[in-house]
Amino acid sequence: MLKALAEYWPIINVFFGGFFVWVCWSLRQLAKNEIEKSALAQDKRLAQLDGRVDGHDTRLTKVEGHIVEIRNDVEALPTKADFARLEGEVKGVGLNAAAAANGVQRIEGFFLKKGVESA
Protein backbone atom coordinates (compact mmCIF):
# COMPACT_ATOMS: atom_id res chain seq x y z
CA MET A 1 0.00 0.00 0.00
CA LEU A 2 2.87 2.37 0.70
CA LYS A 3 4.19 1.66 -2.77
CA ALA A 4 0.78 2.62 -4.28
CA LEU A 5 0.64 5.68 -2.05
CA ALA A 6 4.12 6.69 -3.13
CA GLU A 7 3.15 6.11 -6.75
CA TYR A 8 -0.04 8.19 -6.60
CA TRP A 9 1.28 10.80 -4.17
CA PRO A 10 1.47 13.62 -6.74
CA ILE A 11 -2.16 13.01 -7.79
CA ILE A 12 -3.32 12.88 -4.16
CA ASN A 13 -1.29 16.01 -3.43
CA VAL A 14 -2.92 17.85 -6.38
CA PHE A 15 -6.37 16.67 -5.20
CA PHE A 16 -5.80 17.86 -1.59
CA GLY A 17 -4.24 21.10 -2.89
CA GLY A 18 -7.26 21.73 -5.09
CA PHE A 19 -9.60 20.86 -2.21
CA PHE A 20 -7.69 23.26 0.07
CA VAL A 21 -7.84 26.02 -2.58
CA TRP A 22 -11.61 25.42 -3.00
CA VAL A 23 -12.16 25.61 0.80
CA CYS A 24 -10.13 28.84 1.03
CA TRP A 25 -12.00 30.37 -1.93
CA SER A 26 -15.38 29.37 -0.41
CA LEU A 27 -14.46 30.88 2.94
CA ARG A 28 -13.28 34.03 1.16
CA GLN A 29 -16.60 34.29 -0.72
CA LEU A 30 -18.54 33.70 2.49
CA ALA A 31 -16.58 36.42 4.28
CA LYS A 32 -17.00 38.77 1.30
CA ASN A 33 -20.78 38.21 1.28
CA GLU A 34 -21.03 38.79 5.03
CA ILE A 35 -19.01 41.99 4.73
CA GLU A 36 -21.26 43.21 1.91
CA LYS A 37 -24.37 42.40 3.94
CA SER A 38 -22.91 44.20 6.92
CA ALA A 39 -21.99 47.21 4.76
CA LEU A 40 -25.50 47.33 3.28
CA ALA A 41 -27.05 47.11 6.72
CA GLN A 42 -24.74 49.85 7.95
CA ASP A 43 -25.60 52.04 4.94
CA LYS A 44 -29.29 51.50 5.67
CA ARG A 45 -28.82 52.47 9.33
CA LEU A 46 -26.80 55.54 8.30
CA ALA A 47 -29.55 56.58 5.88
CA GLN A 48 -32.14 56.25 8.66
CA LEU A 49 -29.97 58.27 11.03
CA ASP A 50 -29.39 60.84 8.32
CA GLY A 51 -33.13 61.26 7.91
CA ARG A 52 -33.63 61.60 11.65
CA VAL A 53 -30.82 64.17 11.89
CA ASP A 54 -32.34 66.16 9.02
CA GLY A 55 -35.68 66.09 10.84
CA HIS A 56 -34.05 67.34 14.03
CA ASP A 57 -32.23 70.03 12.09
CA THR A 58 -35.52 71.28 10.67
CA ARG A 59 -37.16 71.21 14.09
CA LEU A 60 -34.21 73.05 15.66
CA THR A 61 -34.41 75.72 12.96
CA LYS A 62 -38.13 76.20 13.69
CA VAL A 63 -37.49 76.37 17.44
CA GLU A 64 -34.71 78.89 16.87
CA GLY A 65 -37.16 81.04 14.88
CA HIS A 66 -39.71 80.82 17.70
CA ILE A 67 -37.06 81.84 20.24
CA VAL A 68 -36.16 84.88 18.15
CA GLU A 69 -39.85 85.84 17.94
CA ILE A 70 -40.27 85.42 21.71
CA ARG A 71 -37.14 87.48 22.35
CA ASN A 72 -38.50 90.25 20.11
CA ASP A 73 -41.86 90.11 21.91
CA VAL A 74 -40.16 90.32 25.32
CA GLU A 75 -38.05 93.27 24.18
CA ALA A 76 -41.24 95.04 23.06
CA LEU A 77 -42.93 94.59 26.47
CA PRO A 78 -43.28 97.73 28.63
CA THR A 79 -40.63 98.35 31.28
CA LYS A 80 -41.07 99.53 34.87
CA ALA A 81 -40.37 103.07 33.71
CA ASP A 82 -43.18 102.80 31.15
CA PHE A 83 -45.57 101.62 33.85
CA ALA A 84 -44.48 104.44 36.19
CA ARG A 85 -45.06 107.01 33.41
CA LEU A 86 -48.47 105.46 32.66
CA GLU A 87 -49.38 105.54 36.36
CA GLY A 88 -48.52 109.26 36.47
CA GLU A 89 -50.63 109.93 33.40
CA VAL A 90 -53.58 108.00 34.87
CA LYS A 91 -53.30 109.98 38.10
CA GLY A 92 -53.25 113.21 36.07
CA VAL A 93 -56.35 112.13 34.15
CA GLY A 94 -57.98 111.22 37.47
CA LEU A 95 -57.25 114.70 38.85
CA ASN A 96 -58.66 116.29 35.69
CA ALA A 97 -61.75 114.09 35.93
CA ALA A 98 -62.23 115.06 39.59
CA ALA A 99 -61.89 118.74 38.68
CA ALA A 100 -64.39 118.28 35.84
CA ALA A 101 -66.78 116.48 38.20
CA ASN A 102 -66.50 119.39 40.67
CA GLY A 103 -67.26 121.83 37.84
CA VAL A 104 -70.27 119.79 36.76
CA GLN A 105 -71.56 119.73 40.34
CA ARG A 106 -71.16 123.50 40.60
CA ILE A 107 -73.06 123.97 37.34
CA GLU A 108 -75.79 121.59 38.53
CA GLY A 109 -75.98 123.44 41.81
CA PHE A 110 -76.26 126.75 39.97
CA PHE A 111 -79.06 125.46 37.74
CA LEU A 112 -80.86 123.92 40.72
CA LYS A 113 -80.76 127.28 42.52
CA LYS A 114 -82.18 129.02 39.46
CA GLY A 115 -84.95 126.43 39.21
CA VAL A 116 -83.88 124.92 35.89
CA GLU A 117 -84.62 121.23 35.72
CA SER A 118 -82.97 118.71 33.44
CA ALA A 119 -84.97 117.17 30.64
Side-chain angles (χ1 to χ4, degrees):
M1 174 151 156
L2 275 176
K3 189 173 181 180
L5 188 62
E7 207 175 297
Y8 294 109
W9 175 250
I11 295 172
I12 295 171
N13 195 16
V14 168
F15 174 75
F16 279 120
F19 179 74
F20 180 72
V21 168
W22 176 77
V23 167
C24 288
W25 180 81
S26 296
L27 290 174
R28 179 188 170 277
Q29 287 298 107
L30 182 65
K32 181 180 169 186
N33 290 342
E34 289 298 318
I35 289 171
E36 287 175 357
K37 283 182 192 176
S38 175
L40 288 175
Q42 187 176 11
D43 287 346
K44 185 177 178 181
R45 274 187 257 128
L46 285 175
Q48 288 173 344
L49 289 175
D50 217 15
R52 289 174 62 192
V53 167
D54 285 344
H56 287 301
D57 183 43
T58 303
R59 287 171 52 197
L60 286 173
T61 303
K62 286 181 182 177
V63 168
E64 185 177 303
H66 292 308
I67 289 172
V68 168
E69 289 175 12
I70 290 170
R71 185 177 295 136
N72 292 338
D73 289 345
V74 167
E75 288 174 357
L77 289 175
T79 62
K80 287 184 180 181
D82 293 332
F83 281 119
R85 183 179 48 79
L86 182 63
E87 184 180 3
E89 289 178 10
V90 168
K91 284 182 182 176
V93 169
L95 293 174
N96 289 341
N102 287 337
V104 169
Q105 286 178 354
R106 286 179 53 207
I107 292 172
E108 282 179 349
F110 173 76
F111 283 132
L112 288 176
K113 283 182 187 179
K114 295 286 182 181
V116 178
E117 294 194 19
S118 63

